[in-house]
Amino acid sequence: MSFRLLVAAAAAQARRRTYSQAARCGGGQTLVEKIAQRHAVDLAEGEVVRSGDFIGIRPHHIMTHDNTGAVIPKFSSIGARRLADAQQPVFALDHDIQNTSAKNQAKYAGIEAFAKTHGSKFYPAGRGIAHQVLVEEGHAWPGTMVVGSDSHSNMYGGVGCLGTPVVRTDAAAIWATAQTWWQAPPVARVELRGELAPGVVGKDVIVALCALFANDEVLNHAVEFVGDGAKSLPVEDRLAIANMTTEWGALAGLFAVDDVTLRWYDERAERGAHAIVNPDTVAKLRRDVAADPSRWTADPDAVYAKTLWLDLSSLTPHVAGPDSVKIAQPLGELEPRRVHIHKAYLLSCVNSRQKDLREAADVVRGVQEARGVPVKVSPGVAWYVAAASSQVLADAQASGDWQVLVDAGATPLPPGCGPCIGLGVGLLEDGEVGISATNRNYKGRMGSKAAHTYLSSPAVVAASALQGYICSPETAISGTAHPPSVRPVLYGSQVHVAKPAAASLDAANSAISGFPQSLSGRLIFLPADNLNTDGIYPGKYTYQDDISREQMRAIVMENYDPEFARLVRPDDVVVAGANFGTGSSREQAATAILAAGVRLVICASASETFKRNAVNNGLLVLESPVLVAWLRAAFPEAPLTAVTGLIADADLVGGKIALMDSKGAVAFETGLPRVGKAAQEIIVAGGLENWVRKRMAAER
């Protein structure tokens, strides 16, 4: 293929260009960038946070739950003895609360003692699911950035709080220093148009979005929901949508603060005395929004990676599954198949708030009114219900909704995660089918891998539990088949092509002492997409703690290509396909690559967990889909590990890469995300834990 054709092939992929290039052009900020800017540390004077930038952040709060027990040893191992900011961590026990074994109770007691020793906020088992608790208690506050050691931290975006997940090493670093690093993600603008019809709720919106845009359109993006449709949604629906942006592949899901948000806080402030959510703090929030509206929304000329849109008025109830959130269909198409169920679940952080419980209870009431007699769950079906929090439970009990559900045969569980993560009673067994108002339906998630799970709204769960098969509330109430009408869902997308990048600030565009301005080495191309952590570092070695660095070098990529270890050399630049490092969270996938002498991996896209583990251990991972597209065009028959004969010269601070052929001529050039000061410091220190140790030593 000629050079001209190679360039043309790469240009065809320009719409997928690395977003850091897009975001550095002139223009305003997205809401994600604005909130990140307010929580960024050590920025140069006048520096503006843009998508793609590596920045240091000091989040408003860091949440850990049961995994606090695993973070405490990490915190101790780096030499930390006290929390940098005792008010920053929030501990909430929610995952394994049905486990009353002595071992688990001792673990919980240890977490509580740790919180008490350091004077941090602690919520015991039974208070509720951590994400719900943080919203109720005001820790996830509008306009702030809150991180959590849990993938559903996205949920905070439902109240205008930028919530995003971090890994456990980050949590320990934040405890010790009050800060960590973050690469501001590309931002997708999702315009919701029109209004939902009666009987269609937020869960239907996000289930539909996950299926309609099922090709990684928002993978590792932050999502901002805008439009008249977004403004029409109640906060409970916004929380559900933001929560499941995790399953959609996003790192955050954010709604702007508006009158709906403020009225919701007004109502919460009336519940009684509270340290954070009270008439004074809510009045101040209102004044702040009125005084500077631009602070609470994206700029009109903000730069987005893409725009997706969905017409809410065209949406009907949807059901996801079985066994994937990327497979969904209108309930009207699924109901005629009469999918028999064995278990039904109304619980989890996505759909067990008071509104959800009320909608389910109203289905039961409707059936009872139509039949004139009390109704029970269908024979052979087990129905489980748990409130998202003790506060939700109290509200549902006071309204009578809780008793309606229990009287109908639902088995009550304590406020917590429980079956949603495969813990406690009521798990799916071999061959069973479940309908659930939870957020994940992967095989084995809620029990047996030989079971099947569908996801739906709480009302559809209730109707299905009463009828014994997946059906609409109308069918359950009428007693005859009455599936919702099916009509085309209106939706679309637009990928934005960036203008040329504007010049960056010199201070923000320089290398700190010890950090290489550029890296140069042979380009090794791994053309596969979805190269997972087991392919990089086989699971059979994961728990062998005595494996040396040299042994790691010999087994790296063993399950992907045994030839890789023989072909790779120190300082090679590895370029890989999309979704690199997907799979488990094992840190050895990153340290094994480092053991091979590789300091830089460039890929079309990377698992965010892998990326964080990599940087936290001193390995740079940058994304450039344009570079990967060019290499695929240049090497269409590339083996699993291709020694390309090209030399890659990556300008890490300036944000660009050039490929040289054997004669030293430039074969291709494109942009890269620039590596900012926050990431530079971690790389120079040899990883996040070393960075924390040095920072603590400097402050003594």
Side-chain angles (χ1 to χ4, degrees), residues 584-600:
S584 78
S585 60
R586 68 191 66 157
E587 291 188 356
Q588 296 99 320
T591 55
I593 294 174
L594 280 168
V598 174
R599 295 188 287 167
L600 173 62

Side-chain angles (χ1 to χ4, degrees), residues 141 265-266 269-270 272 274-288:
W141 190 255
Y265 275 102
D266 286 338
E270 295 173 357
H274 192 279
I276 301 176
V277 188
N278 57 59
D280 290 340
T281 58
V282 174
K284 183 180 184 304
L285 176 62
R286 278 190 169 276
R287 290 195 301 271
D288 290 345

Side-chain angles (χ1 to χ4, degrees), residues 417-435:
C417 301
C420 179
I421 51 165
L423 293 172
V425 301
L427 305 186
L428 289 167
E429 299 179 5
D430 289 358
E432 290 188 332
V433 175
I435 181 76

Side-chain angles (χ1 to χ4, degrees), residues 485-522:
S485 60
V486 178
R487 57 180 180 267
V489 178
L490 305 179
Y491 67 98
S493 64
Q494 177 187 1
V495 177
H496 302 300
V497 178
K499 301 174 183 178
S504 302
L505 290 167
D506 289 341
N509 200 36
S510 59
I512 66 171
S513 176
F515 185 80
Q517 173 82 27
S518 63
L519 288 177
S520 182
R522 299 188 313 162

Side-chain angles (χ1 to χ4, degrees), residues 371-383:
R371 299 181 186 178
V373 295
V375 295
K376 291 286 186 181
V377 64
S378 180
V381 175
W383 186 10

Side-chain angles (χ1 to χ4, degrees), residues 57 59 62 71 74-75 78 80 82-85 88 166-181 612 616 682 687-693 695-696:
I57 57 166
I62 164 68
V71 179
K74 281 185 172 288
F75 177 73
I78 57 180
R82 63 178 180 83
L83 301 176
D85 179 357
Q88 193 179 30
V166 294
V167 297
R168 296 173 186 180
T169 301
D170 293 307
I174 295 170
W175 289 3
T177 68
Q179 65 186 71
T180 189
W181 66 277
R612 294 205 70 85
N616 286 349
I682 293 169
L688 185 60
E689 292 187 15
N690 287 337
W691 176 85
V692 171
R693 292 188 184 99
R695 191 174 186 91
M696 289 191 301

